[in-house]
Amino acid sequence: MLLRRVLGYGVLGAGLVSTGLSLHTNDYDPNSLGIVRLSRSAAAVVDVALTYKRELYYRDWDKETPEYKAEKSRVHKMAAEKLLKLICTNKGVYIKVGQHIGALEYLLPKEFVQTMKVLHSDAPQNPIEDLYKVIRQDLKCNPEDIFDDFEREPLGTASLAQVHKARLKTGEIVAVKVQHPYVKGNSRVDMKTMELAVSVLARIFPDFKIHWLVEESKKNLPVELDFINEGRNAEKVAKQFEKYSWLRVPKIYWQLSSSRVLVMEYLEGGHVTDLSYIKRNKIDAFAVANRIGQLYSEMIFSTGFVHSDPHPGNILVRRTPQHSVEIILLDHGLYANLTDKFRYDYSKLWLSILNVDRKAMRLHSEQLGIKGDLYGLFACMVTGRPWETVMQGITKIKYSKEEKNTLQSNTSLVLPHISDVLEQVDRQMLLILKTNDLIRGIESTLRTQNRMTAFWVMSKCCVQSSYAEQRTQPANTRSRVLWLRLRERWELLKLNCYYLYLGLINFGFLEALKQGQGPHLRLPLALHGTLQGDKV
């Protein structure tokens, strides 16, 4: 009895001590306590469940009627707004997961997706005094000793940090990224809470198997919270693509950086989807789309080091004094490191889609983890096109509003199968699907999704990746390696001729030339480059 009492008081005392330490570490902010955040989350999830029960599931509906569909949409919107309120209150990891939800257009009701999209550009911000505390703790000096000026209004606020423009004592203009004060300390508790919330939501939406989302977030979060890693990623990608004078990656000021503070070169430009900025500065939207397409195709199929958060706030564009277009790539916290085998299988999958080869589509989908007849749905998710278009040839059919409506209307019918695909697929594919969706969104806003160079560049990168992997096989002889190189040249020559032909019949000669004026994509030079063995 005495032992039980001692143990009880010990547990209570330990709990009080740990609570006190947590409060002290987080400047006595009660919002930082796990029990507070957990209770708030539990209350919000219960509220969402009761909302559905009270507003929608209180009666049997004929689910084909317009009345039911309107009511379901209204309740989805109510539930999404309740979750958004929770996310904005708890901040940190919650915002990160909310941003992921805002990108799952093919998986969740549009009311949830549209509601969460605000988090990409309008995440809650912390007062500047909180950021100064982080700077003092990490850099062991006062901000006034480093900066002559530090703008109070942030350039941007994200889930894990916010960025401010500042001027160093040396006069250099920099961008200062400072992690939100309580994110790292709360991340473990928040991920456990998110697991619970997802489990409850899965009961409300049985077809939405999104536990993989929490698992991916748990894996990626520690990486994204380390700004030293982000700085290294920025330097690595800048080195990999230094051949492109039009790509700018901010320089890192290492002596002023830590795991929670990153001081970088300030580069000015407009968001890639800011059409008024693009028109005002006479920037060619096709040149922008071509360069982004070239960059991401090489990342995915050639280097395997892929910037995995290309939402519009992380890609800026600007016109140089020489009237060229520059792409500025920001936020290097999350990169996918693709294995050679994955790049080979994914390259072969894309080539099978472009060649409308169903047998090869099934084979290479299986190698990426997709079982049975789900390969067709997987091909649609990879391309963002309906199956009918995939079977006719995505290079031959222009993307249209009718096609978009077909995709949206059919999504609800295949939601359970989409969830199955996401559960089965190679984990490396999850970031690639997200990246594909964000890039397609940018192209849609720029109205460049029908440009022929998109598939042209990707096809060449796929061919190069496929043959590069074949040349590395241990059993290869010198003569086989030479034969593979010659065959690769021949395949690239055929591709260039084919896409030149497609451009001429689909767009006419002048329009084809205009769309081909991206980096290394001018049509006559493309053929010459392939014959010379250069990368085009």
Side-chain angles (χ1 to χ4, degrees), residues 490-523:
W490 174 242
E491 291 293 336
L492 289 172
L493 177 60
K494 287 196 297 182
L495 271 178
N496 283 322
C497 292
Y498 174 65
Y499 281 104
L500 175 60
Y501 166 72
L502 278 183
L504 293 175
I505 64 171
N506 286 326
F507 299 100
F509 184 72
L510 292 177
E511 186 66 18
L513 281 176
K514 178 185 175 185
Q515 294 194 32
Q517 287 176 353
H520 307 290
L521 293 172
R522 291 175 179 84
L523 299 181

Side-chain angles (χ1 to χ4, degrees), residues 374-442:
L374 285 175
Y375 78 92
L377 177 58
F378 183 49
C380 295
M381 291 169 66
V382 166
T383 60
R385 309 292 293 271
W387 181 245
E388 294 76 14
T389 301
V390 172
M391 283 294 90
Q392 292 177 64
I394 58 175
T395 60
K396 300 174 184 175
I397 308 297
K398 291 183 181 181
Y399 187 79
S400 64
K401 189 174 181 181
E402 291 73 23
E403 189 174 290
K404 182 179 180 181
N405 292 336
T406 299
L407 271 175
Q408 290 178 338
S409 61
N410 288 341
T411 296
S412 60
L413 301 176
V414 295
L415 273 177
H417 303 302
I418 292 175
S419 295
D420 290 337
V421 167
L422 295 173
E423 288 281 336
Q424 293 177 16
V425 75
D426 187 312
R427 298 295 90 183
Q428 296 175 85
M429 193 70 217
L430 295 175
L431 281 178
I432 299 303
L433 286 171
K434 174 191 168 186
T435 302
N436 286 350
D437 286 346
L438 289 168
I439 294 296
R440 274 197 289 267
I442 290 171

Side-chain angles (χ1 to χ4, degrees), residues 112-383:
F112 278 82
V113 172
Q114 293 302 321
T115 301
M116 298 304 165
K117 275 189 174 178
V118 68
L119 296 170
H120 282 297
S121 57
D122 193 23
Q125 66 185 65
N126 282 305
I128 198 166
E129 289 74 20
D130 286 355
L131 307 186
Y132 284 167
K133 287 177 186 175
V134 174
I135 292 173
R136 289 189 189 99
Q137 289 169 358
D138 279 36
L139 302 185
K140 310 302 180 189
C141 58
N142 290 318
E144 301 81 30
D145 298 333
I146 305 172
F147 307 106
D148 259 346
D149 181 56
F150 195 101
E151 292 189 1
R152 297 187 71 86
E153 195 64 28
L155 295 168
T157 304
S159 55
L160 306 180
Q162 59 195 61
V163 181
H164 290 254
K165 185 179 179 182
R167 185 173 65 249
L168 297 176
K169 292 291 185 182
T170 58
E172 294 169 280
I173 305 299
V174 293
V176 185
K177 183 173 182 177
V178 185
Q179 196 171 110
H180 297 313
Y182 316 122
V183 169
K184 190 171 287 188
N186 293 329
S187 59
R188 189 173 296 177
V189 171
D190 285 350
M191 287 313 307
K192 289 291 183 184
T193 307
M194 290 304 302
E195 283 186 275
L196 175 64
V198 165
S199 297
V200 173
L201 287 173
R203 289 179 177 273
I204 301 171
F205 308 121
D207 293 337
F208 306 144
K209 303 167 187 171
I210 56 175
H211 285 89
W212 58 268
L213 177 59
V214 176
E215 291 304 314
E216 284 300 299
S217 297
K218 282 169 64 178
K219 183 181 76 174
N220 295 329
L221 190 61
V223 177
E224 292 186 79
L225 287 172
D226 182 4
F227 288 179
I228 296 297
N229 178 68
E230 178 173 345
R232 292 193 189 112
N233 287 344
E235 290 191 339
K236 181 175 178 177
V237 80
K239 180 71 176 172
Q240 285 180 338
F241 293 98
E242 61 185 351
K243 61 185 176 182
Y244 293 138
S245 60
W246 47 262
L247 178 65
R248 297 295 306 277
V249 176
K251 179 184 74 175
I252 306 300
Y253 289 76
W254 285 112
Q255 72 277 17
L256 298 174
S257 297
S258 71
S259 63
R260 295 193 298 166
V261 179
L262 192 64
V263 179
M264 326 164 251
E265 174 187 12
Y266 174 71
L267 296 173
E268 197 164 6
H271 285 187
V272 69
T273 52
D274 186 346
L275 295 180
S276 61
Y277 175 89
I278 287 172
K279 288 175 183 175
R280 190 167 63 250
N281 289 274
K282 298 179 180 177
I283 294 172
D284 184 355
F286 280 104
V288 171
N290 285 341
R291 288 180 172 175
I292 292 173
Q294 175 84 17
L295 179 65
Y296 273 87
S297 289
E298 287 199 35
M299 282 181 177
I300 292 170
F301 298 109
S302 300
T303 69
F305 189 62
V306 187
H307 182 282
S308 297
D309 200 13
H311 70 74
N314 289 339
I315 301 178
L316 306 182
V317 295
R318 68 183 183 187
R319 194 166 184 247
T320 68
Q322 293 76 33
H323 308 297
S324 179
V325 175
E326 281 187 343
I327 305 295
I328 302 168
L329 195 60
L330 306 175
D331 196 345
H332 300 271
L334 183 60
Y335 271 74
N337 283 284
L338 307 179
T339 64
D340 291 343
K341 182 182 184 307
F342 176 88
R343 287 191 298 109
Y344 175 76
D345 291 335
Y346 189 51
S347 297
K348 297 296 281 185
L349 173 66
W350 259 111
L351 289 172
S352 67
I353 291 171
L354 294 169
N355 293 329
V356 198
D357 184 342
R358 289 183 69 165
K359 186 176 179 181
M361 279 186 225
R362 178 187 283 269
L363 172 64
H364 296 297
S365 293
E366 284 178 359
Q367 290 169 341
L368 290 169
I370 304 302
K371 301 169 187 173
D373 292 334
L374 285 175
Y375 78 92
L377 177 58
F378 183 49
C380 295
M381 291 169 66
V382 166
T383 60

